[in-house]
Amino acid sequence: MLYGWIGRILWVNLSSGKVWESDTLPYTRDFIGGRGIAAKLMWDITSNDSSARPLIFMTGPLGGTIAPFGGRTVVAGYAPQGYPHEWYSRSTFGGYWGPELKYAGYDGIVILGRSSEPVYIYIDDGKPEIREAASLWGLGHFDTQQELKSILGDQVRVVSIGQAGENRSRIAVIETETESAAGQGGFGAVMGGKQLKAIAVRGTGLVQVADADLLMRRSKAIREELRRGSIIARNAALDPEKVRKYGERWYACTQQCGVRCMSRHYSHVPGPISGRERAGQLHCCAPCFGGRDTLGESSFYSWRMDFEASFDLACMANDFGINHWDFVFGLIPWLKHCSETGVQTELDGISIDVNDPHFWAELMRKIAFREGVGNILAEGGYRAARELNEGRAFVDEIYAGWGYAGHLDGHGDRVNRVVFPFWLTLGLQWAVDTRDPFNSSHGYQHAAMMWSPFGYRIEDHGKTEAESPLSWAQLQRYGERIYGSSSAFDPRSGYRGKAQPAIWHSNRSAIKDSLFVCDWMLPCMFSLNQEDGWCRADGMEGIDFEWYLFTATTGVDVGRKEFYQAGERICNLERALQVRDFNRTRMDDEEIIPYLAKKEWWESPLLKEKMGAKPKEFRELLSEFYRLRKWSVETGRPTLSGLQELNLGEEAQLLKNRQLIE
Amino acid sequence: MLNIQIREDACSGCLSCIAACSLSHEGYASPSSARLQVNIELFTKNQINFCRQCRNAPCAKACPENAITQISKGAPWLIAYEKCTNCRACIQACPFNAMLWDPIQERVIKCDLCGGEVPACVDACPTGALSIVKTGSENIEEGKIEGGKK
């Protein structure tokens, strides 16, 4: 019997209307699920047919069970948001859709081809159908979801695109429920290009687990430890005045999440722009719609919008299916800059006024329908700035690379405080990725800032060592224990010991997105609940929670080392994809250097000087990273023997035959 | 007398209870085999169907085979499957939508309070939406049911 996985992957060819199934099992040992299996499917499909443009939805083995956070799903394919190439990339979403897909009999769906007319896919307990969607085309995400529920029943779970996806905006998302979205990558445009409006799923089946009692016990212990021990859980306080006014819920961002984090869900917020009453969550970047009003006076995002208007705007972006991150951390700061410097003060005759919610709403509408200047802005902030040739220097300050606005890297986004030398690790991850590597950063940058005397939030600034959750000495000991590098968490270590955590967290992020587990909470290194700050629960060490959940669910007899090696394999396979498809080399990676070389946005309280990356030192660090990765220092590419060691022999041979690797 | 108490406004919709219920009863995870149901309401609050272990239980009254019985007064009502004919009269009779058809096992299921231990759903609930209380069980009279079927 197969535990954790369902064992079947659904294939849908929208050009021919054919549907068929394949086995999941050949992929599970090496690639686990989610992001790992998606990368392998992508490799296999496009090796056979280089013109194929598959869109892959893949769940993980923990999905639909009780394992904490396991309900997420990855979306993968060639990403329209990518720059300069539409590299293969991935994005994940939560909600209930993934577990429902498993209950309906599939671990994932591969969508090939393109329909000649608007369609949606309906999967009813193992019976997939392609149905016409003429009446849905043109609707926003909320109405699409509602309409499908009224046609197919309330129990159905829906992912859909809004108008932005239909019109193939490069910043279009794929959305489910009120706000869970595969945000980065522009995968909404891929669905739109395929004329696929939605995928609705109903499943009454089951997920087998290897040891139900063990899994329940481990799940509870891990959840309880995180509830008590996580800094993110501690910061979950809501504004009591807003709670009184609008009503409040704690809303699990995905099925199986049992730890309250910073997500805030208000249930009755009037929408002054849309006229709709709004309910939904404000987390991640969504509060930034309000600018200074919701982020505080010192915010770089110094527009001012009242809470209700900003909440409404965030919901409108969800409805149109527009990527929040690119909108509030890219497009709007850029337009604000253009307006303030006088280079561009109006768009299609409307003056740029970032304090006016109606300006934002109109801009979103134009983007979603590619109307007027919206046709250019729909390309995303990075491409739009290049096309309009306005404020490009500023855009280069806030967009780190590959068409994505900065994220936790000390330079681009200006709410997540990360200082030198800790953003160097993320700099390496940015350098070799195809999107913002934020799920990797949530491990290391959060650790280095939140748990250290530096403090992550502005209000934690200036904490003494005694007030800090962990002292520098403790952090350095743990750095040695986790990464084999005591300088990893040393605030005066400069470029020393930064490559090891970059690799460790990159591999672990591949594991998280393959199982799935929470991107914010795991890997669980530290705990407020433990005297020594080292996370553990019921005899399990925090950094091995992933392995404990995996083995109890799947019953796979695998040691920790072999299990975590799957993360290294997945990262290498993704790299191999870049090499095969876009000749990715070290030269590409180094394009991140000018961005990092600019002075950081905050300064280290110890160094008391704003730092930028020194190109020569960063290049040396990159070389160290490649060496530890067993990649060629010269080309930044995996090697034949390195890939073979990871059981990627076929992939290695193909690259070798094409003379792409040595 | 123990029973489950629900605070719907505290429910985060994580469905840990559903998974725990099916895992502890059947060894697999599935909402279809869970003895309580959480209807996710994105815009208001989730609605949870659960068994009240009624004093004069309509399900037991409706059963033509007398297959739904208590070991003693105040104990949970249990289904004797050797008597059950799957007529589903109990499902119709329950005012709380707590008698459920399990399409996987192809039989009616109901909450058995996990045999007197802390029920698996309560044990798994991270939010306090489910708890265990000592109560006098609900006395059901037709037409006087709060929170029952509309």
Side-chain angles (χ1 to χ4, degrees):
Chain A
M1 193 186 285
L2 199 54
Y3 302 112
W5 301 279
I6 299 301
R8 282 190 302 276
I9 295 166
L10 174 66
W11 296 66
V12 179
N13 187 321
L14 292 172
S15 298
S16 65
K18 270 174 129 170
V19 294
W20 67 99
E21 292 173 1
S22 70
D23 290 340
T24 317
L25 198 56
Y27 304 110
T28 55
R29 182 93 195 188
D30 280 353
F31 302 102
I32 300 177
R35 177 174 159 187
I37 292 186
K40 177 60 176 162
L41 288 168
M42 187 69 183
W43 177 276
D44 289 350
I45 294 164
T46 49
S47 288
N48 291 324
D49 174 8
S50 62
S51 67
R53 290 292 175 270
L55 183 66
I56 303 168
F57 292 77
M58 192 60 55
T59 66
L62 306 186
T65 71
I66 198 169
F69 324 111
R72 297 185 69 83
T73 305
V74 77
V75 179
Y78 291 115
Q81 196 179 347
Y83 186 93
H85 305 294
E86 295 175 339
W87 331 81
Y88 170 79
S89 200
R90 74 283 159 186
S91 187
T92 71
F93 63 87
Y96 300 92
W97 189 90
E100 192 76 13
L101 183 70
K102 291 181 75 176
Y103 301 144
Y106 300 107
D107 290 306
I109 309 179
V110 180
I111 294 154
L112 301 166
R114 176 181 186 276
S115 172
S116 56
E117 54 176 18
V119 292
Y120 71 94
I121 296 170
Y122 175 44
I123 300 163
D124 181 16
D125 267 331
K127 294 188 293 292
E129 266 179 74
I130 302 168
R131 295 184 167 192
E132 66 95 13
S135 64
L136 300 174
W137 206 254
L139 297 182
H141 161 69
F142 296 139
D143 286 342
T144 303
Q145 184 170 251
Q146 213 44 53
E147 188 61 20
L148 285 170
K149 279 174 183 281
S150 67
I151 298 168
L152 305 167
D154 254 357
Q155 301 291 325
V156 83
R157 305 292 188 195
V158 177
V159 288
S160 86
I161 53 169
Q163 297 91 342
E166 291 178 6
N167 295 308
R168 289 187 265 170
S169 163
R170 287 181 194 269
I171 53 167
V173 307
I174 297 173
E175 187 113 359
T176 184
E177 314 292 346
T178 49
E179 65 275 296
S180 273
Q184 299 283 50
F187 291 113
V190 179
M191 261 177 91
K194 292 179 179 300
Q195 301 223 62
L196 176 62
K197 180 67 180 172
I199 308 174
V201 184
R202 173 68 183 134
T204 62
L206 57 95
V207 181
Q208 295 282 2
V209 305
D211 189 331
D213 290 333
L214 185 64
L215 178 62
M216 281 193 283
R217 203 170 67 235
R218 286 180 177 173
S219 297
K220 184 176 181 184
I222 290 169
R223 205 173 53 221
E224 290 307 307
E225 164 59 29
L226 287 176
R227 273 155 57 76
R228 293 197 188 90
S230 159
I231 282 191
I232 294 171
R234 190 190 62 177
N235 288 349
L238 293 174
D239 174 355
E241 196 191 321
K242 287 196 184 74
V243 170
R244 269 195 300 280
K245 200 165 169 190
Y246 305 118
E248 164 273 316
R249 289 168 73 180
W250 163 25
Y251 199 79
C253 91
T254 184
Q255 183 166 331
Q256 294 154 252
C257 172
V259 185
R260 183 169 196 159
C261 66
M262 287 190 277
S263 58
R264 288 163 288 178
H265 185 108
Y266 296 103
S267 45
H268 298 91
V269 183
I273 313 160
S274 66
R276 291 185 177 196
E277 185 176 83
R278 298 299 196 179
Q281 228 165 218
L282 275 188
H283 58 162
C284 187
C285 52
C288 302
F289 278 89
R292 196 162 55 192
D293 227 40
T294 44
L295 293 169
E297 285 299 317
S298 61
S299 170
F300 168 79
Y301 305 95
S302 60
W303 51 80
R304 186 186 286 279
M305 219 174 289
D306 72 55
F307 173 76
E308 289 173 6
S310 65
F311 196 95
D312 204 14
L313 282 170
C315 292
M316 289 174 80
N318 289 332
D319 200 22
F320 285 130
I322 295 173
N323 179 341
H324 281 189
W325 194 272
D326 197 66
F327 200 85
V328 294
F329 284 170
L331 266 171
I332 288 291
W334 164 59
L335 289 174
K336 176 171 169 281
H337 171 84
C338 289
S339 158
E340 283 168 359
T341 54
V343 296
Q344 181 98 34
T345 53
E346 51 94 36
L347 297 166
D348 290 347
I350 306 164
S351 73
I352 296 172
D353 179 359
V354 293
N355 296 316
D356 178 6
H358 294 279
F359 162 76
W360 290 50
E362 179 60 7
L363 201 65
M364 270 187 214
R365 198 189 58 77
K366 283 181 175 251
I367 290 172
F369 291 96
R370 282 193 178 269
E371 192 186 294
V373 74
N375 192 36
I376 297 168
L377 302 180
E379 295 291 288
Y382 191 74
R383 281 183 168 86
R386 294 180 85 82
E387 197 157 320
L388 292 175
N389 201 19
E390 303 286 15
R392 276 178 59 176
F394 178 76
V395 159
D396 286 341
E397 278 177 32
I398 58 172
Y399 278 82
W402 327 129
Y404 295 86
H407 206 149
L408 279 155
D409 49 46
H411 292 74
D413 89 79
R414 285 153 190 193
V415 287
N416 295 297
R417 199 165 74 96
V418 180
V419 299
F420 186 86
F422 299 127
W423 47 254
L424 285 171
T425 291
L426 196 66
L428 291 170
Q429 292 172 325
W430 266 103
V432 298
D433 211 325
T434 56
R435 54 162 284 183
D436 54 337
F438 81 100
N439 58 352
S440 309
S441 58
H442 282 168
Y444 177 78
Q445 270 70 25
H446 274 186
M449 297 303 296
M450 280 187 188
W451 292 88
S452 77
F454 279 177
Y456 182 64
R457 300 175 306 168
I458 297 294
E459 55 265 40
D460 294 335
H461 211 118
K463 257 187 319 201
T464 65
E465 281 226 37
E467 291 166 323
S468 161
L470 294 173
S471 68
W472 289 118
Q474 274 176 312
L475 276 164
Q476 280 154 37
R477 267 203 312 281
Y478 292 146
E480 179 71 47
R481 191 162 166 183
I482 302 165
Y483 316 119
S485 153
S486 61
S487 32
F489 288 129
D490 177 349
R492 297 185 191 275
S493 59
Y495 294 79
R496 259 183 302 116
K498 299 299 171 297
Q500 292 89 341
I503 288 170
W504 195 88
H505 283 282
S506 297
N507 294 349
R508 285 306 192 89
S509 83
I511 295 278
K512 311 197 252 202
D513 285 354
S514 299
L515 280 175
F516 282 76
V517 289
C518 177
D519 166 26
W520 277 23
M521 301 267 177
L522 281 92
C524 304
M525 303 187 285
F526 310 130
S527 169
L528 297 170
N529 194 34
Q530 307 290 344
E531 193 79 350
D532 59 0
W534 183 249
C535 182
R536 51 174 112 57
D538 197 19
M540 302 177 281
E541 284 201 274
I543 55 167
D544 285 328
F545 284 167
E546 291 92 324
W547 178 81
Y548 283 105
L549 292 170
F550 176 77
T551 50
T553 301
T554 64
V556 172
D557 181 22
V558 59
R560 290 171 176 72
K561 195 168 167 232
E562 194 192 331
F563 172 65
Y564 294 123
Q565 197 188 39
E568 190 184 352
R569 182 178 300 114
I570 294 161
C571 291
N572 272 271
L573 178 56
E574 288 175 345
R575 185 73 173 178
L577 273 163
Q578 315 317 331
V579 173
R580 189 199 64 182
D581 294 342
F582 296 99
N583 288 311
R584 182 99 181 212
T585 68
R586 178 176 181 135
M587 269 164 60
D588 296 305
D589 298 354
E590 289 191 4
E591 284 183 22
I592 200 76
I593 293 176
Y595 171 83
L596 295 172
K598 295 192 180 76
K599 293 267 188 271
E600 63 189 337
W601 183 250
W602 296 276
E603 65 184 28
S604 157
L606 285 176
L607 304 177
K608 295 195 172 28
E609 180 193 354
K610 288 196 177 186
M611 306 289 282
K614 293 190 174 126
K616 183 169 165 284
E617 273 85 345
F618 191 81
R619 281 193 192 96
E620 281 166 15
L621 181 59
L622 199 53
S623 296
E624 185 189 355
F625 177 92
Y626 293 145
R627 267 194 298 276
L628 291 168
R629 267 284 186 223
K630 298 181 190 153
W631 294 354
S632 154
V633 169
E634 197 190 331
T635 64
R637 293 179 176 180
T639 60
L640 183 74
S641 61
L643 291 175
Q644 282 168 341
E645 273 173 44
L646 291 166
N647 205 17
L648 294 170
E650 269 177 44
E651 289 80 357
Q653 205 52 58
L654 186 143
L655 294 181
K656 175 81 179 155
N657 292 347
R658 295 189 188 173
Q659 297 177 325
L660 291 167
I661 60 166
E662 285 164 7
Chain B
M1 167 69 198
L2 289 178
N3 203 1
I4 294 167
Q5 178 174 273
I6 304 270
R7 272 182 56 212
E8 282 176 340
D9 59 348
C11 174
S12 73
C14 72
L15 305 190
S16 297
C17 54
I18 301 293
C21 183
S22 54
L23 282 166
S24 66
H25 284 89
E26 313 290 355
Y28 57 74
S30 172
S32 293
S33 296
R35 276 77 174 154
L36 79 169
Q37 295 291 313
V38 179
N39 298 317
I40 303 295
E41 285 290 342
L42 294 171
F43 298 103
T44 52
K45 61 183 177 188
N46 297 334
Q47 188 245 323
I48 304 173
N49 297 335
F50 71 105
C51 176
R52 270 69 167 178
Q53 311 295 351
C54 306
R55 199 178 300 165
N56 43 359
C59 57
K61 273 193 199 164
C63 180
E65 308 297 330
N66 292 322
I68 304 172
T69 57
Q70 286 175 305
I71 291 174
S72 61
K73 214 173 166 187
W77 293 93
L78 304 175
I79 302 171
Y81 285 108
E82 68 279 9
K83 291 189 193 166
C84 175
T85 61
N86 285 345
C87 75
R88 311 193 200 187
C90 54
I91 295 177
Q92 294 295 321
C94 176
F96 299 108
N97 295 316
M99 300 298 294
L100 300 159
W101 180 253
D102 176 350
I104 297 169
Q105 301 294 333
E106 297 189 327
R107 62 178 186 177
V108 177
I109 52 175
K110 78 173 290 298
C111 174
D112 57 8
L113 288 175
C114 292
E117 304 290 314
V118 174
C121 57
V122 175
D123 192 49
C125 178
T127 71
L130 303 182
S131 55
I132 192 94
V133 284
K134 279 189 174 171
T135 56
S137 58
E138 305 219 14
N139 192 1
I140 299 304
E141 290 170 44
E142 226 172 316
K144 290 189 184 169
I145 303 154
E146 209 179 321
K149 265 182 199 165
K150 292 198 180 89

